[in-house]
């Protein structure tokens, strides 16, 4: 079971599609062969009973696909919302960091910029090696952020900013753990095994019952639709290697803003002296 679950998460989606459709075609052919060998009972009553069986099988399959799709889309929606929440938390912390004294201001600002960039890279990682490397870098930056916050705390201990700043930094760290857990949260493997097995059984039933050219066309259409639904569910359940991933635009826009602010601070004109009058234009 563990090997099958790993295969669902790492195999190319086209290979999964070929395997699923190939299995359903073989199951339908097996049902059709069984029908050719069992021709003694072709009465109207038996055909009516077979119609009830097909309706029941396909109805239950549709129910299983619907529930599994709801599980997958719920996990996808959670990952999508966490992107926005984390970008907001990082942005808030970055703005509050501008109120710190040097060298803490520059150090933490640079760390937050590198952290936001790493979060985008981590979401786009396609291989296991790249994900492991980006995750290790993310954990290192989180440790450096907290160490820098501890070093800066004595300078803001007696200021009203202190509690709000520590709270926003803690939220950034907490959301890191939440996003890591959301990527590890998948539809239970037993659900996928049951769904795949039931689809193969349903394909065999369709191959056995639906005879003739119109019957085969109807069976082919149903198999294509249900197979496509299963492939879509598997794709939704793969946070990194699937074709459907959470939108990273909130984090990308945040990173652009942070880099622009960093450039503005470098290019900012020197402050006017406090003493002396500034001449007014004529």
């Amino acid at each position: 079971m563990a090997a099958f679950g790993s295969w669902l998460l790492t195999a190319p989606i086209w290979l999964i599609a070929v395997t699923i459709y190939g299995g359903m075609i073989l199951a339908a052919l097996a049902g059709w062969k069984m029908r050719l060998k069992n021709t003694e009972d072709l009465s109207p009553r038996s055909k009516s009973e077979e119609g009830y069986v097909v309706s029941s099988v396909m109805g239950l399959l549709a129910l299983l696909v619907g529930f599994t799709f709801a599980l997958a889309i719920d996990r996808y929606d959670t990952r999508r919302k966490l992107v926005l929440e984390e970008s907001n938390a990082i942005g808030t912390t970055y703005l509050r960091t501008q109120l710190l004294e040097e060298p803490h201001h520059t150090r933490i600002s640079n760390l937050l910029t590198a952290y936001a960039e790493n979060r985008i890279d981590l979401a786009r990682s396609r291989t296991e090696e790249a994900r492991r490397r980006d995750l290790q870098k993310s954990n290192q930056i989180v440790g450096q952020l907290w160490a820098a916050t501890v070093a800066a705390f004595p300078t803001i201990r007696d200021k009203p900013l202190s509690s709000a700043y520590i709270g926003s930094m803690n939220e950034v760290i907490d959301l890191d753990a939440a996003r890591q857990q959301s990527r590890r949260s998948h539809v239970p493997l037993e659900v996928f095994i049951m769904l795949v097995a039931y689809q193969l059984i349903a394909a065999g039933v369709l191959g056995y019952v639906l005879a003739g050219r119109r019957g085969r066309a109807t069976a082919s259409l149903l198999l294509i639709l249900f197979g496509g639904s299963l492939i879509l569910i598997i794709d939704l359940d793969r946070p990194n290697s699937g074709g459907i991933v959470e939108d990273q635009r909130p984090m990308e826009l945040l990173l652009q803003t942070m880099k622009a602010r960093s450039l503005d601070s470098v290019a900012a004109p020197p402050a006017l002296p406090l003493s002396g009058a500034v001449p007014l234009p004529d």
Side-chain angles (χ1 to χ4, degrees):
M1 287 179 59
F4 178 69
S6 177
W7 181 76
L8 284 179
L9 293 175
T10 58
I13 198 68
W14 64 265
L15 180 59
I16 295 176
V18 169
T19 303
I20 291 175
Y21 280 119
M24 289 193 296
I25 290 173
L26 291 177
L29 288 175
W32 180 61
K33 291 291 186 181
M34 291 177 61
R35 181 56 178 253
L36 292 179
K37 295 179 180 180
N38 186 20
T39 59
E40 66 275 6
D41 188 7
L42 296 178
S43 62
R45 179 179 179 182
S46 65
K47 291 183 179 180
S48 176
E49 291 174 350
E50 290 174 355
Y52 287 124
V53 171
V54 172
S55 299
S56 301
V57 169
M58 301 311 294
L60 182 54
L61 178 58
L63 190 64
L64 290 174
V65 170
F67 278 125
T68 310
F69 181 80
L71 289 174
I73 201 68
D74 179 67
R75 283 157 174 77
Y76 169 78
D77 194 50
T78 298
R79 295 194 301 267
R80 183 184 59 81
K81 289 179 180 178
L82 284 175
V83 174
L84 179 60
E85 291 179 11
E86 187 176 42
S87 64
N88 287 337
I90 295 173
T92 300
T93 307
Y94 183 85
L95 291 176
R96 290 174 179 174
T97 300
Q98 310 312 302
L99 302 176
L100 301 181
E101 300 175 359
E102 292 291 357
H104 310 294
H105 166 205
T106 301
R107 181 187 178 190
I108 298 180
S109 295
N110 291 339
L111 284 172
L112 287 171
T113 302
Y115 184 66
E117 193 168 11
N118 172 262
R119 304 307 283 176
I120 297 173
D121 293 338
L122 183 60
R124 293 175 176 173
S125 301
R126 294 298 181 180
T127 64
E128 187 63 29
E129 181 181 358
R131 282 193 293 272
R132 187 162 47 247
R133 182 180 64 250
D134 291 335
L135 184 58
Q136 182 180 6
K137 182 179 178 181
S138 174
N139 294 334
Q140 291 175 351
I141 297 176
V142 168
Q144 293 171 0
L145 277 172
W146 185 246
T149 303
V150 171
F153 184 72
T155 64
I156 60 173
R157 185 194 305 271
D158 300 327
K159 298 180 180 179
L161 168 70
S162 60
S163 60
Y165 187 77
I166 296 299
S168 62
M169 185 63 74
N170 281 333
E171 186 178 5
V172 171
I173 297 174
D174 291 344
L175 285 171
D176 168 58
R179 287 198 68 185
Q180 290 190 34
Q181 179 58 34
S182 70
R183 290 194 179 97
R184 293 191 294 264
S185 178
H186 304 283
V187 174
L189 180 58
E190 293 79 6
V191 175
F192 275 126
I193 293 175
M194 180 63 185
L195 187 56
V196 171
Y198 198 89
Q199 281 210 317
L200 295 178
I201 294 172
V205 171
L206 288 176
Y208 181 85
V209 174
L210 298 180
R213 180 175 298 178
R214 295 184 62 182
R216 288 193 294 270
T218 302
S220 300
L221 178 61
L222 290 174
L223 293 180
I224 290 173
L225 292 176
F226 281 106
S229 300
L230 179 56
I231 294 168
L232 177 62
I233 293 170
I234 294 173
D235 197 10
L236 279 171
D237 198 51
R238 294 153 53 115
N240 293 104
S241 56
I244 304 174
V245 295
E246 63 270 17
D247 189 4
Q248 297 298 316
R249 277 181 293 181
M251 197 68 70
E252 292 171 353
L253 293 175
L254 170 65
L255 182 60
Q256 293 176 7
T257 302
M258 294 166 72
K259 289 184 175 180
R261 284 179 178 273
S262 178
L263 292 175
D264 290 343
S265 63
V266 171
L272 293 173
L274 296 179
S275 61
V278 178
L280 297 174
D282 295 334

